[in-house]
Amino acid sequence: MNPENPHYILGRIRFLIECIDCFRNSKPLPEALCYVPREVLYKFWKDSTISSTSLGRSQYFVTVWQLASQSQRKKLFDIELKRGTCIKATGEEYCNSHGLWVKLDQEQIQEYNSSCQSKEGWILLCKQPEGGERLVPVETPERLQKQQQLFGYDYRPCTRWEQVVDAQYSLHLGAKPKVAARDDAAVHKLRSVPPTWTFECDEDLVHYFYDRIGKEDENLGSVKHLVDSIDASSFSDEANVWCLTDGDNDTFWESEGSQGHHWIRLHMKKGIIIKKLFVSVDATDDNYMPKKIQVYGGERDNLKKLNDIAVDETLVGDLCVLEDMMVHLPLIEVRIPECVDGGIDVRLHGLKIRSSRERDLGLNIDMFQSANLVRYPRLEGHDPDMLYRRAVVIHRFLKLLDSLIHHLVPAWDHTVGSFGHLKHIKPFLLLSKRRTALIAQCLKDSETNKPNNMPKLYINRRVAMEHRNNPSLDPSCKNAVFSQMFEGLKPSDKCDKPLDYRWPARYDQWWECKFISEGIIDQGGGFRDSLSDISEELCPSSGDSLVPLPFFVRTSNQGNRTGEARDVYVPNPSCKEFGKYEWIGQLMGAALRGRELLVLALPGIVWKQLAGEEVKWSKDFPAVDSVLVKLLEAMETMDKETFEYKFGNELTYTTVLSDQSVVDLKPDGSNTVVQYENRMELIQLVQKARLEENKDQIQSMRVGLLKVVPQAVLDLLPWQELEKKVCGDPEITVEALKRLTRFDDLEQSDTRVKYLWEALTNFTNEDRSRFLRFVTGRSRLPAPIFVYPDKSGSEKTDALPESSTCSGALFLPNYSSAKQCEEKLRYAAYNCVAIDTDMVPWEE
């Protein structure tokens, strides 16, 4: 069956819609998605690269166990398997930390051991992650010959769930393909839904699985757990070999030497089977850019060519150079025989690997034990076996979705279907494997050229700080950094075009800032500082600060100090400056496309609407006003006597919005008393009014966002990822800082390095955010840091540390103790705001 056949595509879309309906309404999933064959034949397969000790064996023994669980396993008997023969089992699989198991039913057990009365048995297909001997499914020649004689030469029954979907949901000329007999008991286990299961449980399961496993795919830059060592044709300090695995595409490894003699060798860990190998390239490297890449693999003295790739000379990003290896290769060698325009030296910006070990170990029942589910109370009470099987069908669904997603997303002129059905299951997209590449392609296709002349802005932060301290003195807010920049970026001439913010991702400075009365040559630090200033004005990080701009207001939770998300803001329902909301949306889009951040503390209900997702009162609004949500819940179940006692004749058809304004919910609502019998009408009106109180403001932000980011990208991004791409990661761990920090003229054993990590460990997350802004101009990750000794060298000093935000550099003094280092760093992070180390004022 050809999956790109239009009949199969349309059939899969029909099936996808049916699955979505089942997930949303917690109904049993379609049988085709849960299909398990009743009989599968397995034979031994040996990876000759692992070991050669058993290659000459003519027979094997396979143990049948009563249970696959490691703690309760009981041996039933052994099956003697001679070379060339097969084991018959069902298609029901079960994975735990010991390996992948397959089930034998009672009839199959009787066939191998007539004295055994067990109703089921389990055999281990393969141990993980050892590789080596394993059982693999196979069709015997005798079986295929018999089927061909009975049903025709091309006959082969459907034995995989994907084939069953295509057979049952696609239109066929003539008879439909036959489906092999299914294992009804196994299908029932996959289809069944507990009475208490809801769609929110499925969402939690996806998020739990993503938190545990999905992030490995995000952090593919780290290959240390997959390779023993890396050799390269240039291995000096200047060559920066560590840049291949630091996960930062801004850095690069550069190989010098004779033209065409550049290579990287990966010495793989035992048992690792490469599923995808990526190299990161950048077209802006000009003649350092590889034009041709060759990949070899095998034993050191017997390397064989595996792939030969002509590189797209306009590519910026990851290029897959090897995929779907079936066996372990001890050595992988990446050769660059030719560069663009005859270049002699070469640059690569990173290596990334996906291995079969990551994929195979991604889903097993042991990860669903109660101790691992503390953060997911909806999942805690469910049987681990049920959670495992639910995760299996979710993964099947995602595999189907990945096969269709490029047809559904409106990224090209010719598409089928609509992404509207999928917005209901957007959280599932976190586990999609094709989504990232689609997003990158959509962003690349919509890029424009960078401006011919970088805008230059003159910002007076002194008057902006005065305004921030007392906003009432300047009701027009013209002195705020936000307003100065908004006016400064307007086209000065009718012929000038406004900025479109669709620049390439590597265009990392959108404008140049000159801060009046502050010494600075802006090479990126001033620009980033201006974004931080805008963020702080729109959504102040301190709950005690005044809000200097009218665009966002504090939530009721923040004012009442109740409920969740007490530090967030929502768009001001009374503010009608929609042009400026649109500009905020454009800045958000620019942050998404590039590497800069616009940190806006907004609740999930706002991000959901920006991403085009549905919002629900009981699920989303508690982050805004938890007291109101609880009040309406209590009112709904309240008896008449309690209602009259609490409200009497004082409750009217009005509600208070987030900006504290009071609005009527119906004509003359403020003069109409709510009766007990009409309380449900009031509840519905209040919910509608509050959910839609700032829809115009959010819509304006979304309009600006869509001017910069294609619709398809927002369709593919769950709201949590949209927030992270715009605002960065709010959690700043010491481990994350260590991955992003490089030391120059300082050894890891130096006391200054030790004191620095000890100080940052003792910092709170807010302290580390302030420290990050002090050094880099950014308050969230990612942000590379370069640490140098200060001018005092090795002499003890009590001077404050200095920084250069343009280069992300920290000049660290040699303090006498870790405590002194902590105190000085914290003081600098909170009090050294102006940029003075880039240039002294009298040099301007």
Side-chain angles (χ1 to χ4, degrees):
M1 297 181 183
N2 178 12
E4 289 300 315
N5 184 312
H7 294 293
Y8 292 138
I9 293 172
L10 292 172
R12 288 189 172 198
I13 291 173
R14 284 190 287 268
F15 179 70
L16 196 72
I17 293 171
E18 183 178 333
C19 290
I20 292 170
D21 181 65
C22 292
F23 277 118
R24 288 189 69 201
N25 298 293
S26 302
K27 298 189 297 188
L29 291 163
E31 292 182 353
L33 186 69
C34 305
Y35 172 81
V36 178
R38 191 170 67 190
E39 182 180 300
V40 179
L41 296 178
Y42 295 89
K43 73 172 184 179
F44 258 105
W45 180 81
K46 178 69 182 176
D47 182 355
S48 59
T49 64
I50 300 292
S51 168
S52 58
T53 57
S54 58
L55 287 178
R57 284 165 50 182
S58 60
Q59 61 182 18
Y60 301 86
F61 288 93
V62 178
T63 301
V64 180
W65 304 86
Q66 187 176 29
L67 293 171
S69 170
Q70 200 164 359
S71 59
Q72 302 177 27
R73 278 208 316 269
K74 177 183 177 183
K75 182 176 177 179
L76 295 177
F77 58 89
D78 288 326
I79 299 175
E80 181 182 352
L81 187 63
K82 295 182 179 180
R83 178 179 289 180
T85 60
C86 299
I87 288 181
K88 186 188 298 182
T90 70
E92 182 177 356
E93 296 179 347
Y94 184 92
C95 186
N96 58 21
S97 58
H98 195 62
L100 182 63
W101 302 77
V102 70
K103 177 184 168 184
L104 278 67
D105 61 24
Q106 190 172 18
E107 181 180 336
Q108 292 161 344
I109 289 174
Q110 288 287 310
E111 185 176 334
Y112 292 111
N113 189 328
S114 57
S115 62
C116 182
Q117 300 301 313
S118 179
K119 293 184 177 180
E120 66 177 54
W122 294 86
I123 59 176
L124 187 61
L125 289 186
C126 61
K127 296 180 180 179
Q128 302 198 54
E130 295 176 8
E133 295 178 348
R134 66 187 71 183
L135 288 165
V136 295
V138 66
E139 288 280 12
T140 65
E142 295 80 8
R143 181 185 178 92
L144 290 176
Q145 184 179 7
K146 184 178 178 181
Q147 291 167 348
Q148 289 163 5
Q149 290 172 349
L150 288 174
F151 304 106
Y153 184 77
D154 292 328
Y155 174 80
R156 182 178 293 188
C158 303
T159 57
R160 301 198 314 269
W161 68 268
E162 302 101 315
Q163 295 174 328
V164 176
V165 169
D166 292 336
Q168 294 183 352
Y169 285 81
S170 302
L171 298 178
H172 301 270
L173 293 175
K176 286 189 175 184
K178 300 291 184 182
V179 177
R182 70 183 187 189
D183 185 333
D184 290 330
V187 171
H188 176 73
K189 288 179 186 176
L190 292 177
R191 291 193 72 206
S192 59
V193 181
T196 57
W197 193 262
T198 63
F199 179 61
E200 283 72 22
C201 297
D202 280 320
E203 286 185 324
D204 283 356
L205 191 58
V206 168
H207 282 288
Y208 168 68
F209 193 77
Y210 176 72
D211 288 340
R212 289 287 299 249
I213 299 300
K215 289 182 180 177
E216 286 188 8
D217 285 346
E218 283 186 358
N219 299 321
L220 287 173
S222 175
V223 298
K224 294 177 182 177
H225 61 300
L226 302 175
V227 300
D228 284 323
S229 62
I230 299 178
D231 296 332
S233 49
S234 289
F235 214 108
S236 62
D237 291 338
E238 291 78 15
N240 291 334
V241 177
W242 55 266
C243 294
L244 291 170
T245 59
D246 65 354
D248 184 359
N249 283 357
D250 282 337
T251 62
F252 55 84
W253 163 75
E254 182 175 317
S255 179
E256 300 176 350
S258 302
Q259 187 176 27
H261 290 79
H262 308 295
W263 48 264
I264 298 164
R265 294 191 187 119
L266 306 177
H267 299 268
M268 306 303 298
K269 287 185 180 292
K270 183 179 178 180
I272 293 295
I273 300 175
I274 290 181
K275 289 304 171 186
K276 285 187 183 293
L277 171 62
F278 300 89
V279 297
S280 299
V281 297
D282 188 342
T284 62
D285 288 336
D286 299 326
N287 62 357
Y288 287 88
M289 169 87 167
K291 184 176 182 178
K292 189 176 182 180
I293 294 178
Q294 297 171 340
V295 183
Y296 291 74
E299 299 288 348
R300 177 183 287 274
D301 55 355
N302 188 27
L303 293 179
K304 297 179 180 178
K305 183 184 283 190
L306 304 174
N307 205 3
D308 202 330
I309 307 103
V311 182
D312 178 1
E313 297 182 17
T314 65
L315 177 63
V316 176
D318 295 338
L319 171 68
C320 182
V321 297
L322 190 65
E323 60 182 330
D324 293 333
M325 294 294 99
M326 300 303 294
V327 297
H328 166 73
L329 299 169
L331 182 66
I332 301 291
E333 184 170 293
V334 180
R335 301 178 185 176
I336 301 94
E338 187 178 353
C339 291
V340 171
D341 295 335
I344 297 175
D345 300 331
V346 69
R347 288 177 183 174
L348 292 180
H349 291 256
L351 287 172
K352 301 176 185 178
I353 297 176
R354 274 200 185 96
S355 75
S356 60
R357 183 181 297 180
E358 288 174 352
R359 184 191 66 180
D360 293 341
L361 284 180
L363 179 61
N364 74 69
I365 193 169
D366 295 328
M367 68 186 295
F368 297 111
Q369 302 304 317
S370 296
N372 299 327
L373 302 173
V374 174
R375 293 173 54 211
Y376 301 88
R378 277 191 285 252
L379 303 181
E380 270 191 292
H382 292 285
D383 179 45
D385 193 66
M386 177 265 154
L387 294 175
Y388 167 75
R389 287 186 165 83
R390 191 67 175 178
V392 167
V393 292
I394 288 176
H395 269 251
R396 288 186 175 187
F397 171 78
L398 285 163
K399 186 175 181 180
L400 180 78
L401 173 59
D402 275 342
S403 72
L404 294 171
I405 198 166
H406 58 292
H407 295 290
L408 297 169
V409 180
W412 297 277
D413 293 335
H414 305 289
T415 59
V416 296
S418 166
F419 211 72
H421 288 287
L422 293 179
K423 71 179 180 181
H424 305 302
I425 54 159
K426 226 174 177 186
F428 286 31
L429 290 172
L430 287 170
L431 299 179
S432 168
K433 294 180 179 178
R434 298 195 63 177
R435 180 177 61 102
T436 303
L438 268 177
I439 290 173
Q441 187 63 47
C442 292
L443 291 175
K444 182 175 176 57
D445 290 345
S446 58
E447 280 180 2
T448 58
N449 295 326
K450 63 182 182 181
N452 294 326
N453 298 305
M454 183 184 295
K456 185 174 292 187
L457 302 176
Y458 293 86
I459 307 296
N460 189 332
R461 292 203 293 186
R462 309 277 180 178
V463 297
M465 184 61 70
E466 292 173 2
H467 169 72
R468 193 181 299 182
N469 292 332
N470 191 353
S472 61
L473 297 177
D474 178 24
S476 67
C477 304
K478 68 178 184 299
N479 290 332
V481 172
F482 177 94
S483 301
Q484 293 182 58
M485 291 178 59
F486 181 78
E487 295 299 325
L489 289 172
K490 285 182 177 179
S492 57
D493 189 277
K494 291 183 179 180
C495 298
D496 292 341
K497 292 182 178 179
L499 300 179
D500 63 12
Y501 303 94
R502 286 178 174 249
W503 312 302
R506 301 191 68 79
Y507 182 64
D508 55 4
Q509 184 173 350
W510 312 337
W511 51 73
E512 180 185 346
C513 276
K514 302 287 284 184
F515 292 128
I516 297 172
S517 300
E518 297 181 51
I520 176 175
I521 298 175
D522 186 7
Q523 295 178 337
F527 157 69
R528 287 193 294 272
D529 227 39
S530 69
L531 287 179
S532 296
D533 287 333
I534 288 177
S535 300
E536 186 64 25
E537 289 181 343
L538 291 171
C539 302
S541 55
S542 171
D544 298 327
S545 301
L546 298 172
V547 183
L549 294 173
F551 307 110
F552 297 93
V553 294
R554 290 188 167 96
T555 62
S556 299
N557 285 354
Q558 194 172 163
N560 299 332
R561 299 188 181 277
T562 58
E564 57 182 287
R566 301 183 191 180
D567 58 346
V568 295
Y569 297 75
V570 292
N572 185 351
S574 300
C575 184
K576 306 302 181 184
E577 295 187 65
F578 298 119
K580 292 182 177 178
Y581 278 112
E582 190 173 309
W583 186 56
I584 293 171
Q586 287 181 286
L587 293 178
M588 295 168 76
L592 188 152
R593 296 187 75 101
R595 294 189 173 91
E596 302 309 320
L597 304 175
L598 185 70
V599 183
L600 299 177
L602 308 176
I605 191 171
V606 175
W607 290 109
K608 277 189 172 184
Q609 292 176 78
L610 290 172
E613 296 183 36
E614 292 180 314
V615 295
K616 297 180 180 178
W617 174 264
S618 59
K619 184 177 181 180
D620 300 310
F621 208 76
V624 178
D625 193 341
S626 61
V627 172
L628 178 63
V629 173
K630 291 176 181 177
L631 174 63
L632 296 185
E633 287 177 355
M635 187 184 297
E636 190 172 344
T637 58
M638 199 176 286
D639 59 48
K640 186 173 183 178
E641 183 179 354
T642 306
F643 180 87
E644 292 176 348
Y645 173 77
K646 283 186 172 293
F647 302 111
N649 293 322
E650 297 179 1
L651 185 63
T652 59
Y653 284 93
T654 58
T655 191
V656 180
L657 304 182
S658 292
D659 62 347
Q660 304 307 307
S661 62
V662 180
V663 296
D664 285 0
L665 299 174
K666 58 192 302 186
D668 200 30
S670 58
N671 296 317
T672 307
V673 176
V674 180
Q675 304 299 322
Y676 175 75
E677 294 76 13
N678 299 325
R679 72 189 189 286
M680 292 306 300
E681 179 190 14
L682 173 70
I683 291 172
Q684 293 171 2
L685 290 173
V686 169
Q687 291 176 350
K688 184 176 186 299
R690 294 305 305 273
L691 285 173
E692 297 179 356
E693 64 179 358
N694 40 36
K695 70 175 184 179
D696 293 336
Q697 290 77 11
I698 294 175
Q699 180 58 30
S700 294
M701 292 168 64
R702 182 173 162 83
V703 167
L705 187 57
L706 285 172
K707 283 185 175 181
V708 182
V709 178
Q711 174 72 53
V713 173
L714 293 188
D715 286 344
L716 290 167
L717 285 175
W719 70 266
Q720 297 94 333
E721 280 202 345
L722 174 61
E723 178 186 16
K724 190 173 180 179
K725 285 182 178 294
V726 172
C727 303
D729 193 344
E731 185 179 2
I732 302 173
T733 64
V734 175
E735 290 72 22
L737 288 173
K738 285 182 177 180
R739 287 196 298 269
L740 293 164
T741 302
R742 298 286 176 266
F743 293 92
D744 197 343
D745 295 333
L746 288 171
E747 300 294 333
Q748 291 292 333
S749 57
D750 194 295
T751 55
R752 281 168 285 192
V753 176
K754 294 179 179 179
Y755 289 166
L756 173 66
W757 294 129
E758 190 172 333
L760 292 174
T761 301
N762 293 333
F763 276 13
T764 64
N765 195 71
E766 173 64 19
D767 292 341
R768 287 192 282 269
S769 177
R770 297 274 187 161
F771 165 79
L772 197 65
R773 183 176 176 187
F774 167 67
V775 178
T776 70
R778 300 182 178 101
S779 57
R780 293 196 183 188
L781 297 176
I785 298 171
F786 299 89
V787 182
Y788 304 87
D790 82 336
K791 58 187 177 184
S792 63
S794 59
E795 295 180 10
K796 300 293 182 182
T797 180
D798 60 355
L800 286 170
E802 297 181 358
S803 68
S804 173
T805 56
C806 290
S807 56
L810 172 67
F811 301 95
L812 188 63
N814 189 16
Y815 295 115
S816 58
S817 67
K819 181 176 176 59
Q820 185 186 35
C821 179
E822 179 182 342
E823 291 173 350
K824 296 294 183 180
L825 283 173
R826 184 180 284 112
Y827 182 88
Y830 278 86
N831 295 280
C832 300
V833 178
I835 303 177
D836 292 319
T837 63
D838 298 309
M839 191 191 83
V840 292
W842 52 84
E843 291 178 345
E844 194 168 7

